[in-house]
Amino acid sequence: MYTYLKLSTPEECRVAAYLCDVRQKYQITNDIDFQGETFLPFSAEKIVGNGHAIKNISLDWSDSDNVGLICNSDISESAFQFGPLNIRTEACTISDLTLENVSFKGHNFVGAFGGIAISTNNCKVTGNSSIT
């Protein structure tokens, strides 16, 4: 049985990306700012934002499909600077989370919260954001 892992820093979010566990559940415990930080999408079954925001994400994976906060597909070695990872999720539920000043660029199925298999409740995208 999975318990919620708490995410409160960009570093903890990168650890979540390396876990690549589609059954994992996360709680966001405060606003997380990626200004000047590397963002990597992660896999999850559930994310509870607790009214917090994840800010200043910039991700350009123009040759990849299913790009967003949650990545629902294999990531090619060329798109992943630190080596290839197999990131997959069946579905992810995200609640009470704001994405602020984010930019996600991908090939097909690009979304702020994820490209496919994402369910949101009380989530929003604000600020100067771009999804292409």
Side-chain angles (χ1 to χ4, degrees):
M1 183 164 143
Y2 283 78
T3 59
Y4 284 88
L5 294 180
K6 295 180 180 182
L7 300 178
S8 62
T9 67
E11 294 79 15
E12 290 172 345
C13 291
R14 284 191 289 275
V15 169
Y18 283 109
L19 289 176
C20 298
D21 191 341
V22 301
R23 297 164 296 178
Q24 191 58 61
K25 299 175 184 177
Y26 297 99
Q27 280 190 3
I28 308 301
T29 58
N30 59 276
D31 290 354
I32 301 172
D33 193 346
F34 277 90
Q35 184 71 41
E37 298 275 350
T38 300
F39 171 78
L40 301 172
F42 51 96
S43 294
E45 178 182 320
K46 189 171 187 176
I47 299 172
V48 177
N50 294 312
H52 294 293
I54 299 178
K55 304 175 183 182
N56 299 310
I57 293 173
S58 181
L59 185 66
D60 183 351
W61 283 358
S62 300
D63 295 330
S64 296
D65 294 336
N66 308 323
V67 176
L69 179 72
I70 301 299
C71 189
N72 300 26
S73 67
D74 293 331
I75 297 175
S76 68
E77 188 169 345
S78 63
F80 195 73
Q81 298 176 28
F82 306 104
L85 285 180
N86 180 17
I87 298 180
R88 237 180 240 291
T89 186
E90 296 300 319
C92 180
T93 302
I94 304 171
S95 63
D96 302 313
L97 182 64
T98 297
L99 297 181
E100 182 180 319
N101 298 327
V102 296
S103 174
F104 292 99
K105 186 173 183 180
H107 184 253
N108 292 308
F109 307 107
V110 181
F113 292 97
I116 59 173
I118 303 296
S119 172
T120 60
N121 180 35
N122 197 33
C123 293
K124 59 188 172 185
V125 178
T126 64
N128 186 17
S129 296
S130 171
I131 314 299
T132 58

